[in-house]
């Protein structure tokens, strides 16, 4: 389901996503009608504009998260350093998409969200943190939590931050989905976070993603 105040954006996303055989756009709507529509059509994934004139996207997000069966919600934004993104991620959004995302990537991003992955562009995530320098520093307690992760757990955490689902992580590092699930549970417990997004953000702030890219570059 696509929620945006601009009809052109709604129709564009519907056209692009509807072309994928395994993605069905069950509804498009403005922010004012979003919650009622979600309750009625029960989408698996909601792409929600973060800035709308009729109702704030963060307000819609909070209302959706309060539902008994909340959908996975990713925020839509025009700016990679949008000041509201951090609030949305901390409020339960499963990631964010820039509205100028390449059309051929959109369906795969929706598949990632539906499979339980997160959508956090490393470039855009860095822009978010750089625009909020006070929120970017990992404190001593958080660093200690990250330090308690095993090598395998760090590897899984980096893949979580890259947006991979448990199944994709297992395929990447040759583990069963059940084993990956156990690793994810241990990671959330050790980091004292409640969601994959929060874990991914902490990995970003702790420099694990940059370290992973440096290691790949040195091979």
């Amino acid at each position: 389901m696509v929620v945006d105040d601009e009809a052109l954006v709604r129709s564009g996303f519907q056209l692009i996503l509807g072309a994928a055989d395994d993605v069905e756009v069950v509804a498009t709507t403005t922010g004012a009608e979003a919650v009622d529509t979600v309750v009625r059509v029960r989408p698996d994934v909601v792409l929600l504009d973060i800035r709308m004139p009729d109702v704030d996207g963060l307000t819609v997000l909070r209302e959706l998260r309060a539902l008994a069966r909340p959908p996975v919600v990713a925020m839509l934004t025009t700016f990679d350093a949008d000041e509201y993104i951090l609030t949305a991620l901390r409020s339960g959004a499963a990631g964010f998409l820039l509205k100028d995302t390449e059309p051929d990537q959109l369906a795969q991003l929706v598949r990632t969200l539906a499979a339980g992955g997160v959508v956090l562009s490393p470039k855009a995530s860095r822009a978010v943190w750089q625009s909020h320098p006070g929120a970017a520093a990992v404190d001593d307690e958080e660093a200690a939590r990250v330090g308690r992760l095993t090598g395998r757990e760090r590897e899984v955490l980096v893949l979580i931050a890259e947006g991979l689902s448990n199944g994709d992580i297992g395929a990447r590092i040759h583990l069963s989905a059940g084993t990956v699930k156990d690793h994810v549970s241990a990671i959330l417990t050790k980091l004292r976070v409640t969601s994959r997004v929060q874990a991914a953000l902490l990995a970003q702030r702790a420099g694990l993603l940059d370290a992973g890219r440096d290691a790949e570059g040195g091979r």
Side-chain angles (χ1 to χ4, degrees):
M1 176 172 146
V2 180
V3 181
D4 197 286
D5 63 301
E6 297 184 28
L8 184 60
V9 172
R10 296 196 302 270
S11 60
F13 271 74
Q14 183 172 29
L15 180 65
I16 294 168
L17 292 171
D21 293 338
D22 57 345
V23 179
E24 178 185 1
V25 180
V26 295
T28 67
T29 182
T30 63
E33 303 167 338
V35 177
D36 288 343
T37 305
V38 165
V39 171
R40 177 169 52 84
V41 303
R42 294 187 176 181
D44 296 309
V45 176
V46 173
L47 304 183
L48 172 63
D49 188 6
I50 203 167
R51 293 173 179 263
M52 296 178 287
D54 56 349
V55 60
D56 182 76
L58 295 177
T59 299
V60 175
L61 173 63
R62 284 191 291 269
E63 293 179 359
L64 292 179
R65 294 294 299 167
L67 295 175
R69 296 173 57 187
V72 174
V73 182
M75 310 308 291
L76 293 173
T77 180
T78 306
F79 311 103
D80 58 6
D82 194 312
E83 62 186 287
Y84 295 137
I85 289 176
L86 273 181
T87 301
L89 295 176
R90 288 169 171 166
S91 298
F96 64 95
L97 287 70
L98 301 182
K99 290 187 180 181
D100 61 357
T101 295
E102 292 295 327
D104 59 356
Q105 296 178 4
L106 281 177
Q108 183 54 46
L109 292 174
V110 170
R111 294 185 192 103
T112 295
L113 291 164
V118 301
V119 174
L120 294 172
S121 161
K123 176 182 176 182
S125 295
R126 283 195 296 274
V128 171
W129 291 117
Q130 289 167 1
S131 66
H132 298 78
V138 176
D139 61 31
D140 291 342
E141 183 179 350
E142 289 174 326
R145 294 176 197 166
V146 174
R148 285 194 287 269
L149 298 178
T150 66
R152 178 63 90 181
E153 288 166 352
R154 285 180 176 237
E155 186 178 12
V156 171
L157 176 57
V158 169
L159 296 176
I160 289 173
E162 290 180 2
L164 275 64
S165 66
N166 287 357
D168 291 334
I169 292 173
R172 176 78 65 88
I173 58 177
H174 310 294
L175 295 176
S176 70
T179 299
V180 173
K181 183 177 180 180
D182 290 340
H183 282 312
V184 172
S185 179
I187 289 167
L188 298 184
T189 298
K190 289 182 179 181
L191 296 183
R192 297 183 188 173
V193 296
T194 59
S195 72
R196 297 168 77 97
V197 167
Q198 292 172 354
L201 291 174
L202 185 51
Q204 173 74 42
R205 293 165 59 200
L208 296 185
L209 304 191
D210 294 331
R213 283 189 287 269
D214 292 342
E216 290 179 359
R219 291 174 184 169

